[in-house]
Amino acid sequence: MSNTYFKLRHPFNFSPHRFELGRPFIFNKSYADNFFFLKLYELNEDEYPAFYQYHLEYFLKENASEEKEFFSYIYELTTTRISYYKQHTPFGSRHILNKESLRKCNQFLKFLYSIDQWNHHKSLEILLAEKEEHIQKLKVNIEELEGHIKELNQYESAEKISITEGKLATVIDLFLQLQEQSSPDERKLFRSQTQSPWYKMLSRYFLHGEKEIPINTARNYFPANKKDKLIKGSDVADEDKIFKIIPNKKQG
């Protein structure tokens, strides 16, 4: 059983949907393709998407198939009709009408190009060329990424610094103290726009005992706004504040 591609109007229905195909008193499915183009010639270019969608939905409802088949059928139908008009002599009595019909078909074909997710309109040679171009771009991207990785690996260490078990908060307190230090000329010793370099350095290059320091755990100790209330358990307790960094007065 052949598929039904288009929604035809019923005979004696004088108020059909504007996208339904056919003429009053004529209900012959063998004319469906011609009715499709007769309706297309009546439409404006901005109506093509709705027109296509209307018959697509009907096709999917009536047939156990997918849009790819519907699109392929419409595409072949349109290109065949374009070839038909191009073969006609420009001196015939229907030249003006054929020329306008050809223009409409080319407009519709342009719309089909825009929704062709299956590259149906592209030749094998074009597809292979595009694929090769895509492969070359990927190779360039891979080379760039390998270069970045090689550069980053220069800063990787063979091991991490292990903080004595239970003294993570003490080291964090030292980090916090370092942020507040100034040189003898009263300029900040360390400057950073955000706190991320500090907690990322802690998570990346230190261990707590033998365990990794989760970056979210480290982040909790370094809020973006130092005046913000810390998450419960992220404040350094007084008993963990073992050391105090004191400037050397001889350098003052």
Side-chain angles (χ1 to χ4, degrees):
M1 182 178 176
S2 61
N3 285 334
T4 303
Y5 291 92
F6 306 118
K7 178 71 168 64
L8 297 176
R9 64 185 289 179
H10 291 289
F12 308 108
N13 178 8
F14 297 101
S15 299
H17 188 282
R18 66 186 306 269
F19 291 150
E20 287 184 3
L21 310 182
R23 293 286 186 264
F25 315 117
I26 300 177
F27 191 71
N28 191 332
K29 291 184 178 180
S30 63
Y31 297 147
D33 293 352
N34 287 331
F35 287 142
F36 176 81
F37 286 105
L38 287 175
K39 176 60 68 174
L40 178 68
Y41 301 152
E42 298 174 0
L43 302 177
N44 295 322
E45 189 173 359
D46 59 0
E47 295 178 288
Y48 293 165
F51 178 56
Y52 174 90
Q53 189 65 30
Y54 178 81
H55 289 286
L56 169 63
E57 291 176 0
Y58 173 77
F59 169 79
L60 295 177
K61 181 180 178 182
E62 296 295 318
N63 306 280
S65 191
E66 299 179 352
E67 181 182 357
K68 181 179 180 181
E69 180 179 343
F70 179 79
F71 178 89
S72 298
Y73 184 80
I74 300 297
Y75 180 84
E76 295 298 334
L77 205 62
T78 305
T79 53
T80 300
R81 191 59 58 111
I82 288 174
S83 297
Y84 167 79
Y85 286 127
K86 285 182 176 180
Q87 291 172 4
H88 277 65
T89 173
F91 302 104
S93 60
R94 294 176 59 84
H95 171 63
I96 295 178
L97 181 61
N98 288 343
K99 185 177 180 181
E100 178 61 18
S101 298
L102 177 60
R103 186 184 71 83
K104 284 283 190 176
C105 286
N106 280 323
Q107 277 186 342
F108 188 66
L109 185 62
K110 184 178 179 182
F111 160 72
L112 293 178
Y113 286 165
S114 72
I115 63 171
D116 183 7
Q117 56 184 297
W118 306 277
N119 291 318
H120 193 81
H121 69 284
K122 294 181 180 179
S123 66
L124 179 60
E125 290 77 9
I126 292 176
L127 291 174
L128 290 175
E130 289 180 347
K131 186 175 182 180
E132 180 62 26
E133 183 181 2
H134 183 62
I135 290 173
Q136 293 304 318
K137 287 181 179 179
L138 289 176
K139 286 182 177 179
V140 172
N141 290 339
I142 290 172
E143 290 179 1
E144 291 178 352
L145 290 172
E146 287 177 343
H148 291 320
I149 292 172
K150 185 177 181 180
E151 183 179 352
L152 290 172
N153 282 338
Q154 298 180 65
Y155 303 97
E156 290 298 315
S157 59
E159 62 176 339
K160 293 187 176 184
I161 302 170
S162 179
I163 300 170
T164 301
E165 184 72 33
K167 298 302 180 184
L168 175 60
T170 298
V171 173
I172 290 172
D173 179 56
L174 289 172
F175 275 31
L176 295 173
Q177 288 188 59
L178 283 172
Q179 293 186 45
E180 303 303 323
Q181 302 306 306
S182 298
S183 58
D185 58 5
E186 297 185 351
R187 290 183 300 169
K188 278 283 187 179
L189 192 59
F190 300 100
R191 299 182 66 181
S192 65
Q193 294 283 333
T194 67
Q195 290 287 291
S196 65
W198 294 92
Y199 65 73
K200 287 181 179 179
M201 176 173 59
L202 181 65
S203 178
R204 183 68 175 170
Y205 296 107
F206 291 81
L207 295 172
H208 184 201
E210 299 300 322
K211 297 179 180 179
E212 299 286 339
I213 303 172
I215 192 167
N216 288 333
T217 299
R219 182 189 290 116
N220 291 339
Y221 288 92
F222 298 89
N225 188 343
K226 295 181 182 180
K227 295 181 181 180
D228 288 346
K229 186 176 180 180
L230 295 179
I231 296 174
K232 186 176 181 181
S234 298
D235 251 326
V236 178
D238 289 340
E239 58 267 25
D240 291 317
K241 297 178 180 179
I242 302 173
F243 305 100
K244 185 175 183 180
I245 298 176
I246 300 175
N248 186 347
K249 293 183 179 180
K250 292 182 181 180
Q251 300 298 323

